[in-house]
Amino acid sequence: MRTEPEAAAPTAVHDLRHHGDAEVRDDGAALVDLAVNVRADTPPAWLRERIAASLTGLAAYPDGRAARAAVAARHGLPVERVLLTAGAAEAFVLLARAVPVRRPVVVHPQFTEPEAALRDAGHTVERVLLRAQDGFRLDPAMVPEDADLVVIGNPTNPTSVLHPAAAIARLARPGRLLVVDEAFLDAVPDEREALAGRTDVPGLVVLRSLTKTWGLAGLRIGYVLAAPETVTALERAQPLWPVSTPALAAAEACVGARALAEAAGAAHRIAADRSHLLAGLEKFAAHGLSVVRPAEAPFVLLRLEHASVVRHRLRDLGFAVRRGDTFPGLDERWLRLAVRDRRTTDAFLGALERALDAG
């Protein structure tokens, strides 16, 4: 039996524009950053050099043809199915403004920018709230049949759940855009459950980000993979030259053979580091701490009574973690932690023990 989606709650209930970087601004700049999901050891030297080399061409207007072709080749698609954007966040704004929709639905908990962009564009947004007791797993039957725009993340931020590609594809319908945010999919070993590159799913729109794995959040580069008519509609809504020359150089570099091999290796290291973090968190079960499993992304979501108090204690001990209460479907009992190297994780686990023992 289908479960009706929750009516969209007032935006005041959840701060949809709060993101992890707010935890490390100003007085948080000196903290160890577990709040932002950008890989900590990036960008690598070779990528910095490629970006720096592009600076000699700044007098010319950006030409995205080579980068667009490189992205298309990486996914085995024609260039007409690729649109380069100033990060995946721009793509959400373009979708909200350029695509006429009647009943948009966002599957939560997930990255809040899609809903914020839709609301800003004047849309009434419905939420489908996945349940903690179900492990935040997708049940396609929860999505209304007449929704003509559905947004879901995979793996989902902040739950770290990797939904089966087949389950997501079941959401496809004639006359519906199915938007899948795969910003963290390249951090999953072998990119399991990816839909990027698929052309057999009607209405599929896949968003990818190059800022997470490559440490380019300040450069803003991502892309959309969709049917040519959707790409054309989104492109018309973009300003002229929306992606800078350095960002285009980064895009071309990050989808090359060297980068793909390096990203694949990083995905396996992240998986090992995540296992180490999860094992360390297990010893706090007596404090009522639990983790959403299986975790598949470069971050984990944990539940803890008095999590807000613990988060502030961790700040005093030098660590920034992401509050969970700004995500629809979560409340003040949830925290998100980025996966870091073992040395950083061990230091954090020691701080967490002190924060929990403090009362």
Side-chain angles (χ1 to χ4, degrees), residues 4-298:
E4 289 297 326
E6 178 189 88
T11 53
V13 174
H14 295 91
D15 182 0
L16 300 179
R17 284 282 159 72
H18 180 91
H19 300 298
D21 60 318
E23 309 284 354
V24 289
R25 290 181 190 152
D26 303 327
D27 64 338
L31 301 177
V32 177
D33 181 9
L34 302 183
V36 176
N37 291 326
V38 175
R39 213 177 93 203
D41 57 343
T42 49
W46 65 265
L47 180 54
R48 293 198 301 270
E49 291 168 3
R50 285 284 295 271
I51 294 169
S54 75
L55 299 181
T56 59
L58 291 186
Y61 286 96
D63 183 349
R65 289 176 296 177
R68 187 178 184 185
V71 171
R74 183 256 197 269
H75 292 288
L77 295 171
V79 294
E80 293 80 11
R81 283 183 166 268
V82 175
L83 180 68
L84 303 176
T85 59
E90 186 202 8
F92 292 125
V93 173
L94 295 176
L95 284 162
R97 295 180 179 178
V99 178
V101 293
R102 295 171 290 96
R103 192 177 184 184
V105 170
V106 179
V107 180
H108 284 291
Q110 78 150 344
F111 183 49
T112 54
E113 202 59 33
E115 179 172 329
L118 285 163
R119 288 181 179 276
D120 286 348
H123 297 287
T124 299
V125 181
E126 293 182 64
R127 297 172 177 170
V128 167
L129 299 182
L130 305 184
R131 297 176 288 254
Q133 59 266 37
D134 299 330
F136 297 109
R137 309 299 299 183
L138 172 66
D139 176 2
M142 295 176 70
V143 176
E145 281 294 325
D146 61 346
D148 55 356
L149 176 70
V150 177
V151 185
I152 186 168
N154 203 39
T156 301
N157 172 19
T159 64
S160 199
V161 169
L162 182 66
H163 303 290
I168 294 178
R170 283 171 55 195
L171 294 173
R173 300 284 188 280
R176 170 187 289 179
L177 286 185
L178 173 57
V179 180
V180 185
D181 178 6
E182 291 189 349
F184 295 99
L185 212 290
D186 60 352
V188 175
D190 304 318
E191 296 201 1
R192 300 188 331 275
E193 311 302 344
L195 287 167
R198 293 272 297 270
T199 59
D200 60 322
V201 180
L204 178 65
V205 179
V206 174
L207 309 184
R208 285 286 182 110
S209 170
L210 296 173
T211 65
K212 310 296 190 293
T213 289
W214 297 109
L216 298 174
L219 195 60
R220 311 310 306 142
I221 179 64
Y223 54 87
V224 177
L225 307 175
E229 58 270 22
T230 301
V231 167
T232 298
L234 299 181
E235 190 171 21
R236 285 174 178 161
Q238 280 185 310
L240 291 173
W241 311 291
V243 180
S244 70
T245 295
L248 292 170
E252 189 172 356
C254 289
V255 297
R258 174 180 182 173
L260 294 180
E262 186 172 320
H268 286 281
R269 288 194 302 274
I270 289 168
D273 289 339
R274 183 179 59 241
S275 294
H276 181 72
L277 171 61
L278 292 171
L281 290 171
E282 285 180 356
K283 69 178 182 178
F284 301 114
H287 290 272
L289 186 151
S290 61
V291 183
V292 176
R293 292 174 178 266
E296 300 282 359

Side-chain angles (χ1 to χ4, degrees), residues 11-16 18 23 112 127 158 301 307-308 311 322-336:
T11 53
V13 174
H14 295 91
D15 182 0
L16 300 179
H18 180 91
E23 309 284 354
T112 54
R127 297 172 177 170
L301 181 67
S308 179
R311 182 172 67 88
R322 173 66 159 89
R323 56 190 280 203
D325 61 328
T326 64
F327 293 99
L330 303 182
D331 57 28
E332 68 280 355
R333 294 171 295 180
W334 296 90
L335 297 173
R336 190 191 70 195

